[in-house]
Amino acid sequence: MDRLKSSARFMIVSDLDHTMVDHHDPENLSLLRFNALWEAYYRPDSLLVFSTGRSPTLYKQLRKEKPMLTPDITIMSVGTEITYGNSMVPDEGWVEYLNNKWDKSIVIEETSKFPELTLQAETEIRPHKVSFYVQKDKAPEVMKALSESLEKRGLDVKIIYSGGMDLDILPQGAGKGQALAYLHKKFTSEGRLPQNTLVCGDSGNDAELFSIPDVYGVMVSNAQEELLKWHAENAKDNPKIIHATESCAAGIIQAIGHFNLGPSSSPRDVMDSSDAMPEKFEPGHEIVKFFLFLERWRRAEMEFSELYLAGLKALSLPSCVFVHPSGAEQSVLDCTNELRRSYGDKQGKQYRVWVDQVLPTEIGSNIWLLKFTKWELLGEQRRGCVVTVLLSSKDLSAPEGFTWVHMHQTWLDEARAKDHTDWVC
C-alpha cells in the first residue's frame, strides 16, 4: 500500500477460484490475457486485490500452480485475514476488530454436535474462520440451528454457505465485503480512496462484495446459482453490477470495458503489434509486448521473417547489452542471432511467458528504469528471474516508441532453470 502515495486510479478486488482463475482451462489463456493487460496499463498507479476463501497455505499453493500476478493486497480465509505486499504483512487493526464476540473454541464445541458437518482440512481452520463441508439439501436447516446455538453461547457470528458444499463460520464483522469496506474506510482516512473499484466474483461468499457502496461489480458468466439468486433478490436493478457473458478473467476484462474503467484490450489479443499502437506510450506496455513477441516467436505463432528481427534490432541502441541470468553478456547482434535460431523451438509445446510487477521509474531525462519478474512455463517446469531494463523515451514520435538501452537478468533462487541453454535474451 505504501507504493502509492495518492489515490489509486483503479482498484480490482477479485475472487480467485473460478473468477480470476479458470480451473477448466489448462492453457490459462484468460488469466494470461488479464496479466498482460494489467502489467501493460495498470500496475504503476492501480491496486490489485485478491479476495479468496482460501487459507494462506492453499493460496500459496495456487500461486505455484497457476500463472498468477502478485497482488498489492491479499484478503484470505473468506475475509478474515488482510495482508499487504510481497511479504504479506498482516493488518493488525483488522485482527483486533474481529476478536469482538468471537471464541473459536466455542464454535468448535458447538459444531461438534452436528453430525451433518464435516470439518475441513486443518490448514483451513484459521484464527477467525472454522470451515466445514455439508450437503446442499441439509445446509439451510443446519445453518439455522447452528446460528441459534452459537447466539445462546454469546457469540456474534456469520455463517456463509458457498460452492454448494462449503460452510464457513466467521465473526459477524468478517467477510469479503466487510474486509473491503474496512480497506475503503482506511484509504478514505488517509485521503487516498481509489477513484474506481471493480469487484469480481462467482459464488455465495462473494455476494457481500457487491453490497459495498459505489463499487462496480461483475459476476462472471460461470457464476454459481447462489450468487445469481442473491443478485436477483438484492441488486437486479443496480446498473453498476453486470453478469458477464465471458467466464473467469475474460469476464473481468469485459467488465473493465463495459464500465469504461480504462484500457480493456489485452496485448495478448493483438497478434501483430505493428497493427495496433497504444493510445499513449507506456513503459509497461513495451515490456509486455517484447516478451509476448518472444513467446509467439518460439511457439511459431507468427511467420518467420527477418523483418521482425530487423525491427527488434532497430529498437535497441547499438551499445545495448542483454545480460543472461547466468551472467553472460550478449550484444544486440548476439541476441538477434539467438532469436533466429530459436524460432519455433517450442512449437506444439505448453510454453508461456509472462511478466509480473512491472514498475517503471523515470530516473533521468527520458530514461526509464523498470524492474519486474519474468516467468517462463514449459509444461510443468516453471522458471523465473528478476529483470532490470533501461528504456529511453527520447523520441516517442517514432513508430517504435521506446529504445532499449540495457537489460539485466538474475535467476530467482526458488525458480532457477536446470537447463540454461534454451533461455533466449
Side-chain angles (χ1 to χ4, degrees), residues 197-201 210 215-219 239-243 255 259:
T197 298
L198 173 68
V199 301
C200 322
F210 298 92
V215 302
Y216 295 93
V218 56
M219 302 177 296
K240 286 191 169 185
I241 300 176
I242 64 167
H243 185 192
F259 294 121

Side-chain angles (χ1 to χ4, degrees), residues 381-414:
Q381 182 189 3
R382 180 189 295 207
R383 53 192 185 177
C385 64
V386 175
V387 186
T388 304
V389 171
L390 281 177
L391 297 177
S392 170
S393 58
K394 184 176 181 180
D395 184 11
L396 288 184
S397 62
E400 296 84 4
F402 292 93
T403 300
W404 288 65
V405 179
H406 187 82
M407 180 165 78
H408 189 282
Q409 304 173 85
T410 306
W411 289 123
L412 285 167
D413 288 340
E414 71 275 15

Side-chain angles (χ1 to χ4, degrees), residues 281-300:
F281 289 97
E282 299 279 1
H285 179 268
E286 179 71 16
I287 299 299
V288 170
K289 184 178 69 171
F290 175 81
F291 288 110
L292 270 178
F293 165 82
L294 183 67
E295 176 192 299
R296 288 166 174 165
W297 181 262
R298 301 186 71 181
R299 286 171 60 97

Side-chain angles (χ1 to χ4, degrees), residues 29 37 68 118 153 165 182 224 229 251 317 360 363 395 405:
L29 288 180
L37 176 66
M68 294 165 54
T118 301
R153 295 294 303 272
M165 61 185 295
Y182 172 86
Q224 297 182 28
K229 184 173 182 288
L317 289 180
I363 60 172
D395 184 11
V405 179

